[in-house]
Amino acid sequence: MSEHLGRAPGTISRKSVKGADYLYYQYRDLDGRTRQAYIGPDNEATRARLKDIEARIADRESDLARLNELRAAFIAAGGTAIEHTPMRVLRGLADGGVLRPGLGCAQLVGTYAFIALGNLLGVRWASQIRTQDIDLAGTADIELGVSRPDIPTPEILDQLGMGFIPVPTLDPKTPTTSYRVRGQEVRVDLLVPLRGKPASEPVFVPSLNALAQPVRFLDYLLESPVAVTLVGRRTQVLANVPAPERFALHKLLVSESRASAFAAKAEKDRMQAGQVLQVLLQEAPDGVEAAKSDLVSRGKGWAEKFERALKKCQKDFPDVVNWLRGF
């Protein structure tokens, strides 16, 4: 146990019990409550371990100071910072083991992946970003060597103390896969790829340690993730996001799958896709051709949706559309 102490923020505390002194490591849990981890009796052997823990604390403080300097410089140079409330959720998910880089781990998708990809590609997106929806996706396949979070994602959200409640489903017998903060717009959706026939029943995802809603085309999006740093004003976390070329082409697919009542969201999908592809056209064209070939090879329905989306992008992104059609 003591080999992990000092890696999380905390301090050494001493307790006297029946005339004997004992040492503890005091820290705050996800819900903000003070916790204590037992180190040992206050003797020579424990004090030797204590020196190692104190050295870790000093190293951590030095590393945090350097990270704070780098984060401030990054934002000052034009990097996009995520707002405090969603960043608090992302920090909690990271501390709970849900957000971690690596194959088989959960991925952050949706608008916050779009923000992270802008920072990764060195651009600031022209479109305004107003949503506070956080979309997390993982596969139902069991990945060898990838450990699931100790705490299920819904419990992590509850422990944040922000007032997360389950979003009711149309069928009261169906477990929820969405959670929102009461009285606010903050929402977390848990997703998993849908393969084969349509399904409404949630599927257990090991990397989320929770049930998730099956969604079409998500298997294409989640291939070949990239590790990024999510930046807030006060903190940062590591996470997986989709590869930029797959993110953009997937957005085009999704835009043609939305009902007419969601025309505004479909337009936002196309705008995000067009902006990412404009950057890739100039800065990182490698990979887009392979990503497109993979997409259209998945079936006639995929190819037709993609072509319809391209036609609707012709006016705003003619260079991108001509580029994609030229492969």
Side-chain angles (χ1 to χ4, degrees), residues 194-232:
L194 169 62
R195 299 183 178 94
K197 296 180 179 180
S200 58
E201 289 294 322
V203 176
F204 182 77
V205 176
S207 59
L208 297 170
N209 196 2
L211 294 171
Q213 181 62 39
V215 176
R216 187 74 71 189
F217 307 127
L218 206 57
D219 51 333
Y220 171 82
L221 177 66
L222 299 184
E223 288 191 20
S224 306
V226 295
V228 298
T229 301
L230 308 171
V231 180

Side-chain angles (χ1 to χ4, degrees), residues 270 307-323 325:
R270 289 190 292 270
E307 180 58 31
R308 290 199 301 269
L310 284 184
K311 289 181 180 179
K312 294 176 182 177
C313 292
Q314 183 70 53
K315 179 181 177 181
D316 293 320
F317 304 101
D319 292 345
V320 165
V321 173
N322 294 336
W323 177 49
R325 285 178 172 158

Side-chain angles (χ1 to χ4, degrees), residues 12 17 62 97 149 153 174 190 223 226 242 250 313:
I12 305 297
V17 180
S62 175
T153 297
T174 302
L190 308 182
E223 288 191 20
V226 295
H250 175 265
C313 292

Side-chain angles (χ1 to χ4, degrees), residues 87-307:
M87 195 65 198
R88 180 181 172 189
V89 178
L90 294 169
R91 175 78 264 174
L93 292 169
D95 290 343
V98 175
L99 295 183
R100 65 179 74 179
L103 291 174
C105 298
Q107 293 185 45
L108 182 67
V109 299
T111 296
Y112 288 103
F114 180 60
I115 294 173
L117 289 174
N119 288 337
L120 180 69
L121 295 171
V123 297
R124 193 174 184 90
W125 302 124
S127 58
Q128 293 184 335
I129 300 169
R130 296 177 179 174
T131 184
Q132 292 199 352
D133 292 350
I134 297 172
D135 299 322
L136 294 170
T139 64
D141 304 329
I142 298 176
E143 299 286 347
L144 296 177
V146 177
S147 60
R148 71 178 64 176
D150 293 331
I151 306 174
T153 297
E155 290 187 24
I156 294 174
L157 297 176
D158 184 59
Q159 289 183 12
L160 288 173
M162 297 174 64
F164 272 100
I165 58 174
V167 177
T169 60
L170 294 176
D171 182 357
K173 295 181 181 179
T174 302
T176 186
T177 58
S178 298
Y179 306 85
R180 67 176 179 85
V181 175
R182 186 184 288 106
Q184 298 185 35
E185 296 181 357
V186 181
R187 174 173 172 143
V188 176
D189 292 321
L190 308 182
L191 311 172
V192 65
L194 169 62
R195 299 183 178 94
K197 296 180 179 180
S200 58
E201 289 294 322
V203 176
F204 182 77
V205 176
S207 59
L208 297 170
N209 196 2
L211 294 171
Q213 181 62 39
V215 176
R216 187 74 71 189
F217 307 127
L218 206 57
D219 51 333
Y220 171 82
L221 177 66
L222 299 184
E223 288 191 20
S224 306
V226 295
V228 298
T229 301
L230 308 171
V231 180
R233 295 284 176 183
R234 298 180 179 179
T235 188
Q236 63 285 317
V237 298
L238 291 175
N240 277 336
V241 298
E245 58 272 13
R246 287 184 178 267
F247 178 90
L249 300 187
H250 175 265
K251 280 290 183 182
L252 294 178
L253 279 176
V254 170
S255 71
E256 284 301 306
S257 302
R258 296 193 187 276
S260 56
F262 298 97
K265 286 191 174 182
E267 177 64 20
K268 187 182 81 168
D269 291 332
R270 289 190 292 270
M271 290 300 295
Q272 289 188 358
Q275 290 179 77
V276 174
L277 288 167
Q278 275 186 325
V279 177
L280 295 178
L281 171 60
Q282 300 296 327
E283 303 294 338
D286 296 344
V288 178
E289 182 175 2
K292 182 198 169 183
S293 297
D294 183 14
L295 187 154
V296 298
S297 71
R298 297 191 179 216
K300 182 179 179 181
W302 290 60
E304 289 177 346
K305 286 180 184 292
F306 180 67
E307 180 58 31

